[in-house]
Amino acid sequence: MAYPTLTLSPARRVGGALAAGAVVAVIAHAVTVFVFFVSSGADPANFATLSEFFQMGSLLGFVLLALAAALEAFRWWYVALPAGALAAVLAAYFGTMLSLVGQGNTLDQAAFAYLANSLVGPNLVFTVAAAVASATAGVAIWRRIAGSSAASERRIALVRLPASNLAEGEITHIERLPVNAELADQQWEQYVAALDAHGWEVVEVPVAEGHADSVFIEDTVVIFGTTAVIGSPGAASRIGETDAVESAVRGLRLKVSRIQQPGTLDGGDVLKVGRTVYVGSSGRTNAEGIRQLRGIVSPLGYTVVAVPMTKALHLKTAVTALPDGTVIGFEPFIDDTGLFERFLAVPEAEGAAVVVLDEGTVLMSAAAPKTAELLTRLGYDVVTVSIGEFEKLEGCVTCLSVRVR
């Protein structure tokens, strides 16, 4: 599997490019005319003349800015800024040239000198206005139209191959057992195949050699609609895992926020149930990390509920949620089941974690047959996979992927 970037539909690309180019060109034109209107004494008689003088440059600017947007220059502000400036310089130069020709002037040496001087004279305002508008309004409009075709419209699962030193992964609440790396690779492939078979577009983040726990990609990022929150690993050995994951979610056109030190937050401690976000206060996620997450997602309409976690590594080691919002969990791992609105106990520790594949299907560990039978009786289609080598490292089915809906 290759790590792809998002492919835009032609309609969204064209629509986003035309809208962004038009808005930036209009802003640049209006700012330029206003500046010279005021500087010339705000005489109403000059307004039409000024607007006509800059009209050709603005029209060319629209064409060049729309082209830049179509080439995705407006995807990031730091690219849009120089791209907007370059488009404005070219538009101003050739627009002024066409205006001179239209007025019957000859393109002689004096005319070309005037054109060059205009770039640091009357057209400088147009260039600056277009550059700033490109990096602000242009980027916002491009993301609004073209960016809305991002991962939120697709079912994407981010995964990461196990590192060669997988067996060295950190453990906290269990005794260390030997890990069969070859079997782990096979189990990982079967897990990914299950996602693929149920309609998930699998995106593989580059392997993080030397980071034993990096296969547990869920801990690095949490997705809230079109916003990706990059975690701050609670284990020092995992700090290097987040950069490639951040690049991946940016490639999916998600907005990115970060949990900053001294805050720590592992994605395995974050359980979303509708607009409620349960966050485990665990050995990997601290109070400052929870506070920062609350500050990020509250404006998005989510309510954060902190959950004490002292008996298992992560919150989602102990509880997850069914498609109907019922929280299921293994009671011996849970400090307080009363924090959950609807709770259903499961008979096996490995059955506490499920991945929702669709509204009627869940993925879970093959090591929990009694839980699988329980969920089947509740009307769900249950898909099971063997992940025993990862369970030796306190991993579960949720840990091995990040689902982007």
Side-chain angles (χ1 to χ4, degrees):
M1 287 171 289
Y3 159 45
T5 56
L6 182 70
T7 300
L8 290 175
S9 69
R12 287 190 180 278
R13 185 185 292 274
V14 172
L18 291 176
V23 168
V24 172
V26 167
I27 291 174
H29 181 83
V31 169
T32 306
V33 171
F34 177 77
V35 168
F36 282 96
F37 174 69
V38 172
S39 63
S40 64
D43 184 352
N46 293 333
F47 188 85
T49 302
L50 288 169
S51 184
E52 183 178 356
F53 178 82
F54 292 105
Q55 180 176 340
M56 186 59 69
S58 297
L59 289 173
L60 285 177
F62 161 66
V63 173
L64 294 175
L65 289 163
L67 178 60
L71 295 174
E72 301 191 40
F74 285 10
R75 183 173 167 184
W76 302 282
W77 73 266
Y78 50 85
V79 177
L81 186 68
L86 177 60
V89 167
L90 294 174
Y93 185 88
F94 289 104
T96 304
M97 178 187 293
L98 291 174
S99 295
L100 290 177
V101 171
Q103 295 170 6
N105 295 292
T106 302
L107 294 179
D108 52 17
Q109 186 174 357
F112 284 111
Y114 171 78
L115 290 171
N117 290 332
S118 74
L119 296 178
V120 293
N123 285 320
L124 180 60
V125 175
F126 179 79
T127 299
V128 172
V132 174
S134 295
T136 53
V139 170
I141 290 171
W142 169 259
R143 287 179 175 175
R144 179 79 175 180
I145 297 175
S148 64
S149 66
S152 60
E153 294 186 358
R154 302 151 66 187
R155 294 202 308 162
I156 293 173
L158 300 178
V159 298
R160 199 171 206 171
L161 268 168
S164 59
N165 64 333
L166 172 68
E168 300 172 9
E170 299 203 20
I171 56 175
T172 306
H173 293 272
I174 63 175
E175 293 184 5
R176 185 175 295 278
L177 295 173
V179 174
N180 185 323
E182 183 177 349
L183 179 57
D185 287 345
Q186 294 173 6
Q187 291 178 347
W188 182 86
E189 291 173 358
Q190 291 165 4
Y191 174 90
V192 171
L195 293 173
D196 180 70
H198 287 82
W200 289 83
E201 181 181 344
V202 178
V203 174
E204 186 178 334
V205 176
V207 65
E209 282 298 350
H211 292 281
D213 288 306
S214 58
V215 68
F216 303 124
I217 189 172
E218 179 187 48
D219 293 325
T220 59
V221 61
V222 187
I223 310 297
F224 297 89
T226 58
T227 297
V229 179
I230 304 299
S232 176
S237 63
R238 305 194 64 182
I239 290 176
E241 296 179 20
T242 59
D243 289 346
V245 175
E246 180 173 347
S247 295
V249 295
R250 288 189 184 278
L252 296 173
R253 303 182 191 283
L254 299 177
K255 300 173 185 176
V256 174
S257 295
R258 269 187 169 273
I259 303 298
Q260 304 287 348
Q261 289 286 337
T264 63
L265 183 134
D266 277 8
D269 275 319
V270 182
L271 173 64
K272 294 172 290 180
V273 183
R275 306 303 289 186
T276 300
V277 183
Y278 296 101
V279 185
S281 176
S282 69
R284 300 291 180 87
T285 296
N286 65 15
E288 174 61 18
I290 297 172
R291 185 194 66 77
Q292 290 183 34
L293 181 67
R294 183 177 287 114
I296 294 169
V297 303
S298 292
L300 303 178
Y302 294 91
T303 299
V304 172
V305 176
V307 178
M309 275 301 304
T310 62
K311 302 175 183 180
L313 178 63
H314 288 128
L315 176 63
K316 283 197 279 189
T317 308
V319 297
T320 50
L322 297 175
D324 66 3
T326 299
V327 174
I328 63 171
F330 187 58
E331 284 191 286
F333 286 177
I334 306 168
D335 290 50
D336 184 0
T337 60
L339 291 171
F340 306 108
E341 184 177 346
R342 296 200 310 273
F343 177 79
L344 173 65
V346 298
E348 298 139 317
E350 296 84 356
V354 297
V355 170
V356 175
L357 297 176
D358 58 48
E359 287 304 304
T361 310
V362 295
L363 174 71
M364 62 177 294
S365 170
K370 293 180 181 179
T371 304
E373 182 181 353
L374 170 62
L375 299 184
T376 299
R377 290 201 306 269
L378 295 179
Y380 291 104
D381 292 326
V382 178
V383 178
T384 60
V385 290
S386 296
I387 57 165
E389 298 309 297
F390 301 105
E391 288 169 342
K392 293 177 182 178
L393 298 167
E394 296 180 286
C396 59
V397 288
T398 65
C399 303
L400 296 171
S401 64
V402 175
R403 282 74 60 197
V404 184
R405 296 177 175 85

